[in-house]
Amino acid sequence: DAKTTQPNSMESNEEEPVHLPCNHSTISGTDYIHWYRQLPSQGPEYVIHGLTSNVNNRMASLAIAEDRKSSTLILHRATLRDAAVYYCILRGGYNTDKLIFGTGTRLQVFP
Amino acid sequence: DAMVIQNPRYQVTQFGKPVTLSCSQTLNHNVMYWYQQKSSQAPKLLFHYYDKDFNNEADTPDNFQSRRPNTSFCFLDIRSPGLGDAAMYLCATSRRGTGYEQYFGPGTRLTVT
């Protein structure tokens, strides 16, 4: 399985942008980059995914490096509700149906 | 509007007493998953179904079994729960393919006494 590396924790102040990095140097050409987050006491929820191009949705933006060996999840204005563990996951190849979670980044947001 | 429903939300069982956790979905997705999440750890995939095709992870203990009688329902059976099986059990669904997201239920927290 292609691996991802994320910082264990990050901090932000409310209403500031947050950039959550993810390294995936062994990514293959067919791997999609998925981001999920897990709020306290809840199941994970989908945030965004992409293959090669940068992606935007109502929750976040995903910036993918040109060589695809890293990506960054961008929360444009952090709120207290964004405090969660954020997981960067590669999905593809024979793992088409699977999500294999890494350790993720715990984001703390301060008022 | 509930999409992935897990019952019960909290389950207490005794050491060695079989327990069944249930999951249902209203999304008509063909893939269903069971994850185990222990305290302060990431979710760990136990197995998944693509339609009725069962796919077990290599390191999933034999103590864990699953049934999927139809598209909407999936069950997790723990035949002889041990203290180490206390965890949150998460059900998820997805359409097949790398570009599709998984939808997770709220989880069932299992306590083993």
Side-chain angles (χ1 to χ4, degrees), chain B residues 28-93:
Chain B
N28 203 34
H29 285 166
N30 50 12
V31 192
M32 293 188 76
Y33 308 79
W34 280 104
Y35 293 84
Q36 179 193 62
Q37 186 173 25
K38 296 187 177 180
S39 181
S40 301
Q41 296 184 19
K44 179 179 180 297
L45 182 64
L46 294 173
F47 25 59
H48 73 279
Y49 279 93
Y50 168 52
D51 289 331
K52 283 197 173 281
D53 292 336
F54 178 71
N55 298 272
N56 198 30
E57 293 301 297
D59 56 355
T60 298
D62 293 340
N63 198 27
F64 291 86
Q65 304 285 317
S66 185
R67 295 170 284 134
R68 189 180 185 188
N70 54 52
T71 300
S72 300
F73 286 86
C74 196
F75 300 98
L76 171 63
D77 301 309
I78 309 177
R79 293 193 294 188
S80 181
L83 297 178
D85 297 327
M88 177 73 82
Y89 289 89
L90 296 160
C91 175
T93 74

Side-chain angles (χ1 to χ4, degrees), chain B residues 3-4 23-25 27 29 31-33 91-95 101-104:
Chain B
M3 294 185 291
V4 182
C23 176
S24 63
Q25 55 137 336
L27 297 162
H29 285 166
V31 192
M32 293 188 76
Y33 308 79
C91 175
T93 74
S94 174
R95 295 171 67 180
E101 65 208 71
Q102 287 190 13
Y103 293 82
F104 284 80

Side-chain angles (χ1 to χ4, degrees), chain A residues 29-41:
Chain A
T30 57
D31 285 341
Y32 279 76
I33 302 160
H34 283 245
W35 283 82
Y36 283 72
R37 71 179 186 181
Q38 188 170 22
L39 280 64
S41 302

